[in-house]
Amino acid sequence: MKPLKIAVVGAGAIGAFYGSTLARAGHEVHFLLRSNSEAVAENGFFITTPKSSFHCHPVQTHSTTAEIGACDLVIIALKTTANALFPSLLPPLYEQGRTTLLTLQNGMGNVEALAAIFGAENVAAGLCSVCINRSPPCKIDAFELGVIQFAEMTGPARQRTHALAALFEASGTRCKAVDSLNKALWLKLCWNIPFNALAILGGNITTDRIIASPTLRDLAQTLMHEVAAAANANGAEITEKHIATQLATVNTLGAYKPSSLIDHLANRPLEIDSIWGEPLRRARAKNIPTPTLACIHSLLTHLNSTRTPSTAASQ
Amino acid sequence: MKPLKIAVVGAGAIGAFYGSTLARAGHEVHFLLRSNSEAVAENGFFITTPKSSFHCHPVQTHSTTAEIGACDLVIIALKTTANALFPSLLPPLYEQGRTTLLTLQNGMGNVEALAAIFGAENVAAGLCSVCINRSPPCKIDAFELGVIQFAEMTGPARQRTHALAALFEASGTRCKAVDSLNKALWLKLCWNIPFNALAILGGNITTDRIIASPTLRDLAQTLMHEVAAAANANGAEITEKHIATQLATVNTLGAYKPSSLIDHLANRPLEIDSIWGEPLRRARAKNIPTPTLACIHSLLTHLNSTRTPSTAASQ
């Protein structure tokens, strides 16, 4: 495979990890960093996974996208709380007919925000079922490396989708190209909506403790049923079997920290809108009652609003 | 008024405060204390209110109800989490034809638990709209002293109800005799269910901050509407005007700590069942949807289950 010129926008845990694996595989990877740029340029990224570790060095760091210029692939790994920056941040990276924009972000509304600027045909998504933590400036710990599901914003998987999967696969990541982003997103949210929320609202607990608590487990199931109803009304079939499988999967994860719990414990803004707000809007648009989702959305919105602003906010 | 022999069962904030005012008014008051008995016997209770302070001394303390014996009035001021103790604790205080049992406890199910032992005709309730805190062993601070509403378990206010109100009124407490315990209980819970819960789930905040948060204020209103629907189905009419009045009242209370927040901060068990569980059951028994109440009930039940046991549990 011909080396690609790749920009990684947002070098938090996800961006730093996948950018480093792609650099290790021989691609020309440029990282946009809003903080710790000098430390990373000097020391690189120190990466550990459950099976191995490696040192990504040198790392090409940049403080503006103009400095990077047009790329073959732009990987969006900002926290979704920073999506309002897209119009000012991304255009210098884009060249018509060349650039694919790939969001590896959480939740709903990200491809739409990119498509509003660059057109839906240039936008793809990778849904990451992983747990990776960054200890700024340079340490990246991958605790769980599940699969990345690649999907087009519109239409089923096509050549580009498979090429994206192959690109990440060749750099050591388990990948899958799927035919419906909508269905994959709702299915992932059927897990994230309860477990990311209850990890925080249950008193900062890992997912094994959610499942071990009869009341929280029931509450998670109630939320999953509300999400399934919203998904089904929005063209993404989620069945009882999906829910049962997802619940059973939690037991295999051990003391798993959802990304929102990691954000919460690090005093970073929660991705309220993409994980809970947008699904709630889509449920309401179809008149699907989701009172439990509304309740946890309100509680999390409040907790988030009382958060101390942090300089690590966009990572 | 002829001095009465009164037992105060549970000398937490409420029991110690009202027992002390009744002792000051000349009644023979016996306190059952499960802890700090010696310190209280030696030092008495030091009581402050927004307008005055007084020292209740000597205090007649007891470690068993058998030691106290039959009384004219038994004031139940245990946390409702200790209601299972009624059958073993209360019978020595009771004499047929003489004793009235008055619960000053929070929430629903208390009169029923007393009536199961002593018969409904001997049971009355006083609903306290107050904020009193006890700093063990001897300091009692009354921050807010609203009214106590006295009601019979069955039927409208009668001579005994007015006598109870007069007894407390003569010891300096604002009182009111009301004709429907059911309605008074639901109305009080229409306030306690949202505000006691959100003070904790909002991140240990006072009620002014609940009202200042648009999302929590909306959530409080959603809960109040669910409680009103459950109340109406259970024969207690709660109107939009009641809800508006209760919300407006919060603004007058300042930085008010609901009793459940005080319990939570002191690491004491929450009164889950009487404040949230029993109303939820009564809503479900009438097929009234209360999903938001169910959600906060689950979250609080979980938080409560992870609490470190405390020796101050029954106060």
Side-chain angles (χ1 to χ4, degrees), chain B residues 5-17:
Chain B
K5 180 177 176 187
I6 300 173
V8 174
V9 179
I14 295 279
F17 181 80

Side-chain angles (χ1 to χ4, degrees), chain A:
Chain A
M1 185 184 286
K2 183 172 158 282
L4 300 177
K5 181 178 175 186
I6 300 173
V8 174
V9 179
I14 295 279
F17 181 81
Y18 290 109
S20 295
T21 63
L22 291 164
R24 182 178 58 168
H27 298 285
E28 177 190 334
V29 181
H30 300 265
F31 292 86
L32 181 79
L33 272 83
R34 301 215 309 176
S35 56
N36 301 311
S37 189
E38 285 178 22
V40 172
E42 192 177 324
N43 303 309
F45 288 121
F46 296 91
I47 303 206
T48 61
T49 76
K51 292 187 179 163
S52 66
S53 65
F54 70 98
H55 182 205
C56 180
H57 190 263
V59 170
Q60 298 192 57
T61 67
H62 304 271
S63 57
T64 68
T65 47
E67 199 179 299
I68 301 173
C71 291
D72 303 307
L73 177 64
V74 177
I75 295 175
I76 319 291
L78 292 168
K79 284 284 172 191
T80 56
T81 49
N83 282 6
L85 300 174
F86 286 173
S88 59
L89 204 58
L90 301 181
L93 304 171
Y94 180 76
E95 186 184 320
Q96 178 66 34
R98 174 187 178 190
T99 310
T100 296
L101 296 123
L102 173 70
T103 166
L104 297 185
Q105 300 168 289
N106 274 323
M108 281 178 168
N110 306 311
V111 291
E112 289 82 356
L114 292 169
I117 312 170
F118 304 104
E121 68 281 10
N122 298 309
V123 177
L127 308 191
C128 307
S129 297
V130 299
C131 178
I132 309 177
N133 202 353
R134 177 178 173 199
S135 307
C138 299
K139 196 165 153 20
I140 312 292
D141 291 305
F143 299 106
E144 290 284 336
L145 288 175
V147 72
I148 302 185
Q149 297 179 79
F150 289 90
E152 296 297 322
M153 177 168 174
T154 53
R158 54 183 199 258
Q159 196 186 345
R160 176 178 68 182
T161 332
H162 293 287
L164 283 168
L167 172 72
F168 279 73
E169 193 86 45
S171 69
T173 297
R174 279 205 298 141
C175 296
K176 206 165 104 178
V178 298
D179 283 330
S180 167
L181 178 58
N182 185 53
K183 178 163 183 178
L185 266 177
W186 277 110
L187 260 177
K188 186 161 186 293
L189 284 170
C190 190
W191 197 94
N192 285 130
I193 283 174
F195 288 99
N196 286 39
L198 298 181
I200 296 170
L201 297 174
N204 300 333
I205 57 175
T206 46
T207 52
D208 52 337
R209 290 180 57 200
I210 297 173
I211 287 293
S213 158
T215 54
L216 290 190
R217 188 191 161 95
D218 281 357
L219 189 56
Q221 272 190 290
T222 300
L223 281 162
M224 293 170 103
H225 284 118
E226 288 185 7
V227 175
N232 293 343
N234 280 281
E237 197 195 358
I238 296 184
T239 63
E240 281 298 318
K241 201 178 159 195
H242 284 128
I243 292 174
T245 303
Q246 289 193 334
L247 278 173
T249 305
V250 179
N251 285 322
T252 68
L253 292 176
Y256 183 87
K257 284 184 189 171
S259 64
S260 302
L261 176 60
I262 294 174
D263 289 339
H264 186 62
L265 294 173
N267 204 33
R268 288 191 296 253
L270 301 177
E271 297 184 297
I272 297 284
D273 208 56
S274 64
I275 301 180
W276 299 280
E278 182 62 21
L280 183 58
R281 273 193 292 277
R282 293 188 193 188
R284 284 176 171 161
K286 302 287 183 184
N287 292 315
I288 302 299
T290 50
T292 316
L293 171 54
C295 181
I296 61 161
H297 175 255
S298 294
L299 290 172
L300 292 167
T301 299
H302 168 75
L303 290 179
N304 193 50
S305 72
T306 60
R307 180 175 303 286
T308 313
S310 157
T311 54
S314 70
Q315 297 182 344

